[in-house]
Amino acid sequence: MATHHELTTQAEPVAQEHVVTSYKDAPTRTVSAGGVNFAFRELGPKTGVPVIFLTHLAAVLDNWDPRVVDGIAAKHRVITFDNRGVGASTGSTPDTVQAMANDAITFIRALGLDEVDLLAFSMGGMIAQVIVQEEPQLVRRLILAGTGPAGGEGIEKVTAISNRDVIRGLLTFQDPKQFLFFTRTPNGRRAGKEFLARLKERTENRDKAISLRSYRAQLKAIHRWGLEPPSDLSVIRQPVLVANGESDRMVPTKNSVDLARRLPDSELVIYPDAGHGGIFQFHGQFVAKALEFLER
């Protein structure tokens, strides 16, 4: 049965030939599918296999590091989007990773895409693993950063760690991501401050923050993922780039090692003196590596 999808742009209409090259300038658009208006941004060249970015716990469109987005968009069509019920996307946020994966597939199909690459960070990496197992023909290549497999060691502790660092952030007047994504070494502290400053580069048409209800639903989904029995990752035949920092407190780094070991066609990159946000701390090296991987 044919489904009707509507695309709208909330900012000025963009001429078809105009290529947006900077994430801070990318208009927020919406596509309607499955009863949800998904908010998304698109930039980079119009041709080739698009790279869909799948985001982390509590994240909205403005939580992607513009250096990573712009770096990939220099060579590839990049599409970021808000999960159902998050930011400018409508609907209620699911409390399972599987439902989030189904939403992502719905969104990708609504854009008329039949082949994509996935760049997935943290919770997004969990979603990506389900997508590629549910719809293997949809995915060409996968980049999984700061994430782990179902049943991965320590993943069920994300709720406790997140809540503790949210409180710590409130008490010290700092963004919790400074603690959650970066090490407490001088390099980690500096990288965290620089990352948080980059997230503020977009000044117009910013997304709205996640609601507490949606945040709790996502925490429940991650907790459930951490308690699931391990899945057979040998069925994932696509090339996969796995990346993390060596000291990830949120999704312990050993999960990235485990993922790379269990995936038949994988490559592992671990960044020194870096935590969960290693790809943001080492954005220059990560973008170069990701582009090389995507262009093979």
Side-chain angles (χ1 to χ4, degrees):
M1 189 177 76
T3 52
H4 177 64
H5 305 305
E6 291 178 30
L7 279 163
T8 60
T9 304
Q10 291 165 341
E12 288 297 304
V14 180
Q16 200 53 44
E17 62 277 4
H18 174 66
V19 174
V20 180
T21 57
S22 171
Y23 192 51
K24 69 177 167 54
D25 300 325
T28 303
R29 305 169 67 200
T30 59
V31 61
S32 301
V36 176
N37 295 332
F38 290 98
F40 71 100
R41 292 179 190 153
E42 186 177 348
L43 65 160
K46 304 286 188 196
T47 55
V49 177
V51 184
I52 307 290
F53 280 44
L54 299 166
T55 200
H56 63 84
L57 168 71
V60 298
L61 292 168
D62 296 326
N63 286 110
W64 279 113
D65 189 333
R67 295 299 172 279
V68 171
V69 179
D70 294 358
I72 303 296
K75 304 275 185 182
H76 298 265
R77 180 182 177 193
V78 167
I79 300 167
T80 65
F81 74 104
D82 276 332
N83 291 314
R84 171 157 52 113
V86 178
S89 288
T90 63
S92 60
T93 302
D95 58 8
T96 68
V97 169
Q98 287 73 15
M100 292 180 199
N102 290 337
D103 286 341
I105 292 165
T106 298
F107 167 73
I108 291 165
R109 296 265 185 233
L111 293 181
L113 304 172
D114 52 20
E115 186 180 46
V116 297
D117 293 328
L118 299 177
L119 190 157
F121 174 58
S122 193
M123 183 184 77
M126 302 167 192
I127 295 167
Q129 289 172 63
V130 177
I131 293 172
V132 75
Q133 289 177 79
E134 296 277 323
E135 300 266 356
Q137 76 293 346
L138 187 61
V139 182
R140 189 185 71 116
R141 285 176 176 265
L142 272 167
I143 299 173
L144 300 176
T147 196
E153 193 173 326
I155 292 174
E156 81 287 351
K157 297 189 178 79
V158 166
T159 303
I161 292 167
S162 299
N163 289 343
R164 190 164 63 237
D165 280 349
V166 165
I167 293 163
R168 189 175 172 191
L170 288 169
L171 293 175
T172 58
F173 303 103
Q174 292 186 75
D175 190 304
K177 288 189 281 295
Q178 180 76 56
F179 307 117
L180 290 166
F181 284 16
F182 299 92
T183 58
R184 304 308 292 150
T185 66
N187 282 338
R189 288 168 193 255
R190 184 173 64 248
K193 287 188 175 75
E194 290 170 357
F195 167 72
L196 292 169
R198 293 195 297 273
L199 295 189
K200 295 190 173 89
E201 286 175 0
R202 183 186 180 99
T203 53
E204 304 285 314
N205 302 310
R206 286 183 65 86
D207 205 355
K208 61 181 184 191
I210 192 169
S211 69
L212 191 55
R213 176 182 286 186
S214 291
Y215 174 65
R216 284 181 176 145
Q218 289 186 346
L219 280 174
K220 187 182 280 189
I222 294 170
H223 188 74
R224 284 176 164 165
W225 180 260
L227 297 175
E228 270 187 38
S231 60
D232 178 12
L233 299 179
S234 70
V235 300
I236 298 174
R237 312 309 297 184
Q238 287 84 345
V240 186
L241 174 63
V242 181
N244 207 345
E246 68 178 4
S247 306
D248 188 342
R249 290 175 55 241
M250 290 196 78
V251 182
T253 307
K254 61 184 72 168
N255 285 289
S256 296
V257 177
D258 184 35
L259 263 182
R261 185 178 55 78
R262 289 163 58 191
L263 290 160
D265 185 2
S266 71
E267 188 175 348
L268 178 65
V269 180
I270 301 291
Y271 296 105
D273 188 14
H276 191 60
I279 65 167
F280 307 134
Q281 182 168 338
F282 286 86
H283 55 83
Q285 280 137 285
F286 171 69
V287 165
K289 182 72 197 173
L291 288 175
E292 183 268 320
F293 170 76
L294 291 171
E295 283 155 26
R296 278 179 205 162

